Amino acid sequence: MATKSATKEDIIASLKEQINAFTASSKETQVGTVISVGDGTALLSGLSNVQASEMLEFADGTSGVALNLEEDRVGAIVLGNVSGIKEGDMVKATGRILSMPVSDAMSGRVVNPLGIPLDGKGDIKATEFYPIEKVAPGVMTREPVGVPLQTGLKAIDALIPIGRGQRELIIGDRQTGKTAVAIDTIINQKGQGVKCIYVAIGQKESKIAKIVAKLEEADAMEYTTVVLAGASDPASFSYIAPYAGVAIGEYFMAKGEDVLIVYDDLSKHAWAFREISLLLRRPPGREAYPGDVFYLHSRLLERSARLNEAHGGGSITALPIIETQSGDVSAYIPTNVISITDGQIYLETDLFYRGIRPALNVGLSVSRVGGAAQTKIMKKVAGKLRLELAQFRELEAFAQFASDLDENTRNQIERGRRLTEMLKQKQYAPMPFEEQVAVIFAVTQGHVDRVAVERVGEFEIGLLEYLRGSKAELLKKMNEEKNLTEEIEKELNAACSEYVKMFE
Amino acid sequence: MKTNAKQLARGLFAEIQARGASDLDDVTGAFVKYLADRHELSLWREVIRALDAVWKEEFGVANVSVVSAFELPKELKKALEEKFAGVSVTSTVANDVLGGASVRIDDRVIDGTIRARLQLLKQQLIS
């Protein structure tokens, strides 16, 4: 009891001290008047010295951001409910540029784009404020991508490797597993020292609840922050959500940490921006998007970077997601984002329904800089994989018409079928890279040639169990050396042959 | 030719300045009729806003309003009107400011009310 009363007295004493030390000064504030309000935006008069992106405070306490600065009026977005704002209300300029409260305590939390927690786990004490709009790191502070970011998905790590600091677009129609690829990548970062941020833009809250539950189940929430702008939130929230997410990322990057950020998805972000722009009467362009819709995404994605050692050596890897309509990658927003990013993972509905999951189109998917980041061992094992798969696809189409095939072609087709089968992977089951290497090695070296195509999955599970059980040393060596030395190759070949015998 | 609100406001201002305050009602009456004849009465809000801007260009300030907890003393009111000659000065009494006064000069506010100070104290204590 004694300690309790002491605490109470302490609090009272500290309050008294603060009240005594308080000096009220009347400062000059800039104000304006609401001319009109509608659907998340407001037109204001006055505020002659307001800055772009400055935070505003409406009479009912709602925040806003000044976006359009015109000669005699200001167009602002309202970050909250507009029903409490009336024409003629006073609006105050706060003098602060829109910023995001950030701290280490953000990991493991679900927040809205203003940094307010939505998960009911209490307040987040902010240590710093990072501006939501910030100029991307310059050329001299950057370093080329050189460290891999393992997604844990065989098809991606082998064929379209991603490096830390890269921007790799995930593109595909609805229901092709775009979010699944991103979530698996987040799950695979466990123990890799990568902080993850998942930005949900205009998503259904039920979907996000499911994702958060899955991440918690996989112990991935402890290093992940979810920034949520739900489908029922105003368009202004969807518009600032990715910038808020990357502001959190920049906080960790400045500390020298590696960050993975997923923007799910930028199509909805462009819609939100279009809505705001049209309401603010900016001139519409192609597909009614405003003229600066390219800049909208380029300035966001440019903030992903790998900093050099002199600047802390941190990185932000971005996985933006774009939803296409019936496979049309040549629409306005998809082409824009494809041109900004360092490659794309293209997911296809046809492949998805044929049971090839992840439904990756190997021909259209590329990684422009990730090759430099791929581990030597994976490079050696998977080097010819893309070519073999491409040839297989061509031959397979040809083989549908021709019945008589020479042995060489038949072998290539059979190998291709097994490869395709081997690249299939279950959701929420990312794989360490040494196991991926072992599996791909088994196929490319022909150990699976005599296994029936429909039994390849079974073979893979068995092989991995065998390696984990009897050849743990070999897996460990592969993980440490990250190179396909003669010794490792020999041992791996021997292990595969041994297991093939057992399997048969 | 269509004239915009700013041009209309400038015309009105020039006319009032030329004719003097005594003819104010006549000038504004004629102006409203002019707008009605051109079917531009819907512009009145914009014209008022533009008039403020024109007024500001000429006198530096267009509107001054004072909100206080108690009625302002006569001398103070007079001093204010002298200080802001040619500007519309309004003063209102609002009990909820508790004490002191807040002065709004166009888009600037200097808030010296007790309510504002208490809010500031509350913010400081919370943070």
Side-chain angles (χ1 to χ4, degrees):
Chain A
M1 282 306 282
T3 48
K4 238 184 189 174
S5 61
T7 326
K8 207 195 285 175
E9 276 158 17
D10 279 352
I11 293 170
I12 292 169
S14 124
L15 279 176
K16 270 186 183 168
E17 200 180 303
Q18 282 188 54
I19 292 170
N20 282 334
F22 175 73
T23 48
S25 56
S26 308
K27 272 190 226 150
E28 187 185 307
T29 350
Q30 265 221 41
V31 292
T33 312
V34 177
I35 301 173
S36 66
V37 197
D39 297 339
T41 60
L43 271 182
L44 318 164
S45 68
L47 292 167
S48 53
N49 289 320
V50 76
Q51 303 171 66
S53 288
E54 185 174 335
M55 284 200 75
L56 308 172
E57 198 186 310
F58 289 90
D60 69 336
T62 315
S63 302
V65 185
L67 276 193
N68 271 13
L69 308 183
E70 292 166 22
E71 189 188 351
D72 52 358
R73 55 188 185 182
V74 173
I77 50 170
V78 182
L79 300 171
N81 201 344
V82 290
S83 57
I85 302 168
K86 302 186 297 295
E87 187 202 338
D89 272 359
M90 197 164 85
V91 194
K92 266 191 221 163
T94 59
R96 280 184 288 124
I97 295 294
L98 183 59
S99 44
M100 179 81 180
V102 287
S103 76
D104 286 340
M106 304 279 309
S107 291
R109 303 299 300 268
V110 182
V111 296
N112 79 358
L114 297 175
I116 298 163
L118 300 172
D119 50 8
K121 291 182 184 168
D123 284 347
I124 302 172
K125 208 160 171 56
T127 50
E128 275 176 76
F129 280 84
Y130 264 62
I132 279 189
E133 292 281 359
K134 199 177 172 195
V135 179
V139 180
M140 298 315 288
T141 60
R142 291 180 187 240
E143 203 176 79
V145 171
V147 181
L149 184 115
Q150 307 287 352
T151 63
L153 298 167
K154 283 171 285 185
I156 294 173
D157 286 344
L159 298 165
I160 329 150
I162 301 171
R164 292 187 184 182
Q166 189 177 342
R167 301 154 299 173
E168 181 80 10
L169 171 67
I170 303 173
I171 187 167
D173 276 9
R174 58 183 190 81
Q175 291 293 310
T176 48
K178 300 182 296 298
T179 306
V181 168
I183 297 303
D184 278 356
T185 311
I186 292 179
I187 292 174
N188 196 49
Q189 302 315 311
K190 193 176 169 185
Q192 304 290 317
V194 177
K195 288 271 189 296
C196 299
I197 298 159
Y198 178 81
V199 184
I201 307 159
Q203 299 283 348
K204 291 187 284 277
E205 308 221 1
S206 59
K207 180 183 168 183
I208 304 307
K210 209 171 127 193
I211 287 172
V212 171
K214 270 285 167 210
L215 289 175
E216 267 168 2
E217 201 179 289
D219 292 332
M221 223 24 223
E222 54 197 62
Y223 54 84
T224 307
T225 310
V226 177
V227 179
L228 169 62
S232 61
D233 288 328
S236 49
F237 273 49
S238 294
Y239 165 58
I240 63 165
Y243 301 102
V246 78
I248 303 174
E250 279 165 341
Y251 166 74
F252 290 120
M253 180 167 74
K255 288 171 58 180
E257 293 190 53
D258 291 314
V259 179
L260 166 72
I261 183 161
V262 177
Y263 304 111
D264 195 0
D265 62 84
L266 289 187
S267 318
K268 289 197 184 71
H269 183 232
W271 294 349
F273 184 57
R274 174 169 63 183
E275 185 181 328
I276 287 168
S277 299
L278 291 174
L279 289 169
L280 288 174
R281 314 211 169 177
R282 290 182 176 179
R286 181 175 160 191
E287 288 176 30
Y289 288 105
D292 59 342
V293 74
F294 183 85
Y295 181 53
L296 172 82
H297 290 147
S298 66
R299 73 172 189 265
L300 171 73
L301 293 169
E302 269 302 291
R303 287 162 77 176
S304 308
R306 176 163 181 76
L307 298 180
N308 56 26
E309 280 306 316
H311 290 86
S315 72
I316 296 181
T317 314
L319 292 181
I321 294 177
I322 286 279
E323 188 182 296
T324 52
Q325 307 293 330
S326 39
D328 184 13
V329 280
S330 61
Y332 190 28
I333 302 300
T335 44
N336 275 354
V337 183
I338 286 172
S339 73
I340 302 163
T341 47
D342 307 311
Q344 68 274 352
I345 294 168
Y346 184 57
L347 304 172
E348 257 184 2
T349 318
D350 282 358
L351 294 172
F352 188 84
Y353 290 118
R354 266 163 57 193
I356 302 170
R357 296 174 198 179
L360 189 80
N361 181 320
V362 183
L364 289 179
S365 303
V366 286
S367 172
R368 287 176 211 153
V369 293
Q374 203 172 26
T375 49
K376 274 186 188 163
I377 190 164
M378 182 62 98
K379 215 180 244 179
K380 278 188 189 164
V381 170
K384 282 186 287 179
L385 211 58
R386 177 184 282 272
L387 192 69
E388 272 186 42
L389 278 171
Q391 283 173 347
F392 156 66
R393 228 168 299 116
E394 205 169 294
L395 289 174
E396 196 190 30
F398 174 70
Q400 285 180 340
F401 303 106
S403 52
D404 271 350
L405 295 167
D406 63 273
E407 203 186 329
N408 217 356
T409 315
R410 221 171 27 237
N411 284 347
Q412 243 179 329
I413 291 176
E414 287 303 312
R415 176 73 60 84
R417 282 192 183 135
R418 280 162 185 78
L419 263 178
T420 313
E421 202 62 30
M422 195 63 104
L423 289 178
K424 286 182 187 172
Q425 196 166 338
K426 283 207 170 73
Q427 200 180 347
Y428 310 124
M431 209 183 254
F433 90 91
E434 63 272 15
E435 291 186 5
Q436 295 181 20
V437 169
V439 168
I440 296 165
F441 182 86
V443 188
T444 50
Q445 294 296 310
H447 294 289
V448 192
D449 286 356
R450 278 185 297 163
V451 176
V453 175
E454 52 279 6
R455 289 192 71 198
V456 170
E458 193 189 322
F459 176 87
E460 182 192 346
I461 296 167
L463 174 68
L464 288 175
E465 268 172 18
Y466 169 73
L467 288 173
R468 283 181 209 138
S470 319
K471 304 282 174 191
E473 275 300 307
L474 175 63
L475 287 179
K476 204 176 148 201
K477 208 191 287 176
M478 283 161 70
N479 187 1
E480 281 162 6
E481 291 197 20
K482 294 188 172 61
N483 196 359
L484 192 69
T485 55
E486 264 180 46
E487 190 194 340
I488 289 179
E489 192 174 351
K490 222 162 120 189
E491 274 184 55
L492 204 52
N493 253 327
C496 288
S497 317
E498 222 167 284
Y499 180 70
V500 170
K501 271 183 213 149
M502 282 163 67
F503 186 76
E504 279 167 353
Chain B
M1 196 184 78
K2 204 164 162 76
T3 34
N4 64 25
K6 202 156 190 176
Q7 288 166 323
L8 288 169
R10 271 188 206 286
L12 180 62
F13 181 81
E15 196 58 27
I16 290 171
Q17 220 176 14
R19 305 260 299 260
S22 53
D23 286 339
L24 191 62
D25 285 348
D26 291 347
V27 174
T28 37
F31 180 72
V32 172
K33 194 172 175 305
Y34 173 76
L35 281 186
D37 290 346
R38 290 168 63 99
H39 305 289
E40 285 179 350
L41 270 179
S42 59
L43 279 178
W44 71 273
R45 277 171 200 268
E46 284 178 53
V47 174
I48 289 175
R49 272 201 298 274
L51 200 57
D52 276 351
V54 174
W55 212 270
K56 214 172 149 185
E57 275 173 23
E58 193 66 24
F59 293 102
V61 177
N63 288 299
V64 173
S65 59
V66 182
V67 181
S68 56
F70 305 99
E71 189 78 40
L72 292 182
K74 276 185 185 157
E75 306 85 66
L76 189 59
K77 266 190 184 173
K78 209 175 155 196
L80 270 174
E81 272 161 22
E82 274 171 20
K83 176 96 183 149
F84 296 105
V87 176
S88 114
V89 180
T90 51
S91 58
T92 43
V93 175
N95 293 327
D96 61 350
V97 301
L98 302 174
S102 108
V103 185
R104 177 171 176 175
I105 306 160
D106 289 332
D107 60 357
R108 284 170 294 156
V109 166
I110 301 163
D111 200 342
T113 59
I114 302 280
R115 185 180 61 181
R117 286 173 192 215
L118 285 174
Q119 267 168 357
L120 201 67
L121 177 66
K122 184 180 154 191
Q123 267 173 15
Q124 270 192 21
L125 289 179
I126 292 172
S127 63

